[in-house]
């Protein structure tokens, strides 16, 4: 087959679909004919297009997960934990996440395969664990789509209007599905643009926040006023522990870069670890600094925050902070940024679910129908199912939308915890397998900065947070023990347990843990000539040593 000469160019959404087609017929055909044929099943083994660019990968790593967890969920965390509790909670989760991402960087550099998390778990731990983690991650993303759409409906309420917010939900729903039908080019460009907008907005907010705190507006000097009254902590240690799961949710999606490994246009050995390195800057600048400034501007006892009896759920703590300074127009502009962030996460949700369910189907852990990849490289059945589940977003038309938001957010946050724990476990098992088979670390194109110790820290932290969350779910802050509250906060653990035990019983393989000496350490590698790889890496290091100091500094930092 001969590819069209236009495939490498970036056109608009409709041309992107058409240009990925292959054709042997030189006779001109209509646009409609090409479009219709693009949805036909891809012949042979289904393959996703490797068209994601370096700039897209880096922006996905830097800002893909900035959404409702930070802009809206940060308000509920501030309400229950106070400014001090928020900083401690996010700091703990940030260190935990950095260890997880370093483990992931090493794994995707070695094995850039589709649906990496589930595939790694089945291959290096246990097929039943791979089934549980894979479906858990798929459910996480398929739930996130309606969650972000509900959050967008709540955000739209910031502007008084006679138009029912559900109308906007319908518009956003159609937009997200169309973007994903444009393939990974549409997804990559949408993520790139939204990431730039989010990053510029957060940097701008941080500069403005410093000005407001120092008394540069009509609100006067604020300083550390709210750290003295009402104080840094809302509910003591229990409040801080309650913040942990919100922090996990706000950083959820960071691991999405691992799913892009098989669709990267360049060499995953170099590009993915470099992209993942940017996670450190996201954590420090866009979370820790930003949340510290929010804590100076908004007291935890504000009746506008999410979770209070009279709160308006459409108002994020960022908008509240700007409003409290008496600045006109800017709150509306920032609310638009919040809306863009929510829609970007919704876009990622369809991508994440469709790629994960495809990987599960390829492993025989999901119905084979999900292996349907069309000629444009789109996993159509996964996109279709995500679209159907996304219809849950229309619950925003009911008065119980805040309750639904809380349920979906708690479920998603705990699902992320299991995913991160699995990444750490997989890395640890992979290193153990290499040692058992007498393989040297010089066969690895990238070594995690945190090493095996980081994987252990990630795994232990996962267990500790799960135990603490169990306690908080049994005895919630400010409330008596309640079965509804417990299952609302701990439903994710129940789902994983049911999947794991159910697969064990169905497969009748109660002890199927992969033996270290039998691990397949090579299938899926792009580089099997280890001697050549070592020479290439050594040449790259020598070139870097001979380069200018600022280039060396840039390489270390980015």
């Amino acid at each position: 087959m001969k590819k069209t000469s236009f495939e490498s160019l970036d056109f608009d959404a409709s041309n992107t679909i058409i240009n990925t087609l292959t054709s042997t017929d030189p006779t001109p055909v209509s646009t409609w004919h090409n479009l219709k044929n693009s949805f036909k099943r891809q012949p042979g083994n289904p393959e996703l297009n490797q068209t994601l660019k370096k700039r897209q990968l880096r922006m996905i790593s830097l800002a893909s997960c900035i959404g409702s967890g930070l802009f809206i969920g940060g308000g509920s965390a501030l309400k229950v934990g106070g400014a001090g509790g928020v900083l401690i909670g996010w700091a703990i989760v940030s260190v935990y996440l950095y260890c997880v991402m370093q483990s992931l960087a090493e794994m995707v550099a070695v094995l850039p395969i589709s649906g990496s998390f589930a595939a790694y778990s089945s291959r290096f731990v246990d097929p039943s664990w791979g089934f549980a983690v894979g479906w858990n991650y798929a459910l996480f993303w398929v739930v996130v789509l309606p969650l972000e759409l509900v959050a967008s409906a709540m955000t739209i309420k910031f502007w008084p209007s006679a138009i029912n917010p559900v109308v906007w939900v319908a518009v956003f729903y159609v937009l997200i599905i169309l973007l994903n039908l444009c393939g990974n080019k549409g997804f990559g460009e949408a993520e790139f643009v939204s990431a730039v907008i989010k990053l510029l907005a957060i940097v701008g907010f941080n500069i403005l926040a410093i000005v407001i705190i120092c008394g540069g507006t009509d609100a006067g000097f604020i300083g550390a006023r709210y750290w003295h009254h009402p104080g840094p902590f809302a509910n003591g240690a229990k409040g801080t522990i309650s913040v942990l799961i919100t922090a996990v949710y706000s950083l959820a999606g960071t691991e999405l870069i691992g799913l892009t490994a098989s669709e990267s246009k360049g060499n995953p050995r170099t590009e993915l670890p470099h992209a993942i390195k940017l996670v450190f800057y996201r954590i420090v600048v866009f979370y820790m600094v930003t949340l510290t400034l929010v804590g100076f501007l908004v007291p935890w006892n504000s009746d506008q925050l999410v979770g209070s009896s009279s709160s308006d759920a459409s108002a994020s703590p960022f908008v509240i902070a700007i409003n409290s300074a008496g600045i006109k127009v800017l709150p509306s502009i920032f609310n638009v940024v919040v809306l863009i962030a929510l829609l970007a996460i919704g876009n990622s949700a369809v991508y994440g679910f469709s790629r994960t369910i495809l990987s599960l189907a390829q492993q025989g852990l999901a119905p084979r129908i999900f292996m349907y990849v069309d000629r444009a490289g789109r996993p159509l059945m996964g996109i279709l199912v995500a679209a159907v589940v996304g219809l849950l977003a229309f619950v925003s038309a009911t008065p119980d939308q805040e309750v639904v938001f809380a349920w979906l957010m708690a479920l998603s946050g705990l699902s992320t915890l299991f995913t991160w724990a699995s990444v750490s476990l997989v890395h640890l098992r992979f290193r153990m397998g290499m040692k058992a088979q007498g393989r040297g670390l010089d066969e690895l194109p990238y070594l995690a900065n945190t090493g095996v110790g980081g994987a252990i820290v990630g795994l232990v932290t996962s267990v500790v947070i799960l135990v603490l969350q169990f306690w908080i779910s049994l005895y919630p802050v400010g409330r008596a023990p309640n079965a509804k509250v417990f299952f609302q906060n701990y439903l994710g653990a129940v789902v994983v347990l049911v999947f794991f035990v159910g697969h064990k019983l169905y497969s009748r393989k109660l002890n199927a843990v992969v033996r270290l000496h039998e691990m397949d350490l090579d299938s899926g590698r792009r580089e099997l000539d280890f001697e050549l790889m070592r020479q290439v890496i050594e040449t790259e290091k020598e070139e870097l040593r001979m380069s200018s100091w600022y280039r060396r500094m840039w390489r270390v930092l980015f």
Side-chain angles (χ1 to χ4, degrees):
M1 281 187 164
K2 176 181 168 185
K3 292 189 178 180
T4 64
S5 59
F6 304 104
E7 186 172 351
S8 61
L9 301 178
D10 288 327
F11 287 127
D12 57 24
S14 60
N15 284 335
T16 300
I17 295 175
I18 299 169
N19 293 336
T20 53
L21 301 176
T22 56
S23 176
T24 56
D25 185 4
T27 305
V29 293
S30 68
T31 299
W32 169 247
H33 180 77
N34 281 337
L35 181 62
K36 182 177 66 174
N37 282 346
S38 75
F39 290 95
K40 291 183 179 180
R41 183 188 289 270
Q42 191 178 119
N45 293 325
E47 293 183 1
L48 302 174
N49 290 339
Q50 296 176 357
T51 54
L52 287 176
K53 302 173 183 177
K54 181 188 295 185
R55 61 178 175 83
Q56 295 170 338
L57 291 174
R58 296 204 171 192
M59 293 307 289
I60 289 172
S61 178
L62 191 59
S64 64
C65 75
I66 298 177
S68 62
L70 176 64
F71 290 129
I72 296 180
S76 60
L78 183 62
K79 186 74 180 176
V80 75
V86 164
L87 290 184
I88 292 174
W90 256 269
I92 292 172
V93 174
S94 296
V95 173
Y96 165 36
L97 174 61
Y98 182 75
C99 293
V100 171
M101 292 305 294
Q102 281 299 310
S103 293
L104 181 61
E106 182 174 308
M107 294 302 301
V108 296
V110 178
L111 300 168
I113 56 180
S114 177
S116 54
F117 314 120
Y120 294 157
S121 298
S122 298
R123 189 161 156 182
F124 301 120
V125 184
D126 181 286
S128 295
W129 180 245
F131 177 84
V133 170
W135 274 99
N136 168 67
Y137 195 67
L139 287 178
F140 159 68
W141 279 122
V142 84
V143 163
V144 164
L145 175 59
L147 170 64
E148 299 301 316
L149 289 174
V150 169
S152 70
M154 295 162 66
T155 303
I156 286 288
K157 285 186 176 181
F158 179 80
W159 300 284
S161 172
I163 300 177
N164 193 316
V166 78
V167 174
W168 292 109
V169 169
V171 172
F172 300 147
Y173 171 84
V174 172
L175 175 63
I176 288 172
I177 299 304
L178 287 178
L179 280 173
N180 277 272
L181 287 177
C182 292
N184 58 21
K185 285 187 178 181
F187 164 77
E189 288 302 327
E191 286 296 301
F192 179 82
V193 173
S194 64
V196 170
I197 293 173
K198 288 186 284 186
L199 297 185
L200 290 176
I202 292 177
V203 170
F205 172 83
N206 289 348
I207 295 172
L208 176 64
I210 293 173
V211 172
I212 296 174
I213 293 170
C214 295
T217 65
D218 295 339
F221 180 76
I222 295 177
R225 178 191 307 171
Y226 299 131
W227 283 75
H228 295 291
H229 180 76
F233 299 100
N235 293 284
K238 202 173 204 180
T240 302
I241 292 171
S242 297
V243 168
L244 291 175
I245 200 66
T246 305
V248 169
Y249 173 74
S250 76
L251 290 162
T254 305
E255 72 290 332
L256 183 71
I257 190 70
L259 292 185
T260 66
S262 63
E263 298 178 74
S264 170
K265 189 175 183 179
N267 187 352
R269 177 181 67 80
T270 56
E271 292 185 8
L272 289 171
H274 288 165
I276 288 174
K277 191 183 294 184
L278 296 177
V279 170
F280 173 79
Y281 301 102
R282 181 210 298 179
I283 290 171
V284 173
V285 177
F286 303 119
Y287 281 89
M288 298 307 299
V289 172
T290 302
L291 288 169
T292 298
L293 295 173
V294 168
F296 275 91
L297 293 172
V298 183
W300 58 261
N301 62 352
S302 170
D303 59 3
Q304 299 178 66
L305 288 172
V306 174
S308 58
S309 58
S310 60
S311 70
D312 180 1
S314 66
S316 89
F318 294 80
V319 177
I320 294 172
I322 299 173
N323 260 330
S324 63
I327 301 175
K328 306 298 182 182
V329 181
L330 192 55
S332 289
I333 295 176
F334 200 86
N335 215 52
V336 171
V337 175
V338 173
L339 190 59
I340 290 173
L342 299 177
L343 297 179
I345 296 293
N347 184 43
S348 297
V350 179
Y351 179 91
F353 173 77
S354 60
R355 271 60 179 181
T356 302
I357 201 70
L358 169 64
S359 174
L360 289 170
Q362 290 172 337
Q363 298 173 68
L365 301 177
R368 291 182 58 83
I369 187 64
F370 287 109
M371 291 179 63
Y372 190 108
V373 177
D374 66 18
R375 296 182 182 182
R378 299 165 300 202
L380 273 187
M381 291 309 300
I383 295 174
L384 176 62
V385 171
V388 171
V389 177
L391 295 174
L392 287 173
F394 290 94
V395 75
S396 59
T398 73
D400 295 327
Q401 58 174 286
E402 291 185 39
V403 176
V404 174
F405 181 83
W407 272 89
L408 294 178
M409 188 171 181
L411 174 62
S412 301
L414 213 54
S415 297
T416 300
L417 200 60
F418 280 101
T419 299
W420 292 356
S422 184
V423 170
S424 299
L425 178 60
V426 162
H427 183 212
L428 186 60
R429 291 274 301 170
F430 176 75
R431 284 289 194 93
M432 292 169 64
M434 289 198 68
K435 183 177 180 180
Q437 295 183 26
R439 306 280 288 269
L441 296 183
D442 58 350
E443 294 183 5
L444 303 181
Y446 176 80
L447 292 177
N449 293 338
T450 53
V452 175
I456 295 174
V457 169
L459 194 57
V460 171
T461 305
S462 302
V463 175
V464 170
I465 294 179
L466 276 172
V467 172
L468 291 176
Q469 182 64 17
F470 182 83
W471 175 53
I472 292 297
S473 300
L474 277 179
Y475 304 98
V477 176
R479 288 179 287 182
N482 183 289
K484 178 183 177 181
V485 172
F486 174 80
F487 283 106
Q488 186 182 59
N489 292 335
Y490 221 71
L491 185 60
V494 176
V495 169
V496 171
L497 182 62
V498 168
F499 276 134
F500 180 74
V501 174
H503 188 268
K504 282 290 183 187
L505 295 176
Y506 177 79
S507 64
R508 298 181 182 179
K509 297 179 180 178
L510 300 182
N511 184 16
V513 176
V514 179
R515 297 181 180 180
L516 299 179
H517 290 85
E518 297 176 357
M519 280 184 181
D520 178 5
L521 303 175
D522 295 320
S523 296
R525 287 195 182 211
R526 291 191 185 178
E527 296 162 327
L528 288 172
D529 189 335
F530 300 132
E531 185 58 36
L532 177 61
M533 183 187 70
R534 294 187 194 102
Q535 292 177 8
V536 170
I537 293 175
E538 190 56 40
T539 301
E540 291 173 351
K541 289 180 178 179
E542 183 61 28
E543 290 177 353
L544 188 61
R545 281 194 293 267
M546 299 297 293
S547 62
S548 58
W549 68 268
Y550 54 84
R551 185 184 174 189
R552 292 197 301 271
M553 182 65 69
W554 177 267
R555 184 65 178 272
V556 169
L557 294 177
F558 301 100

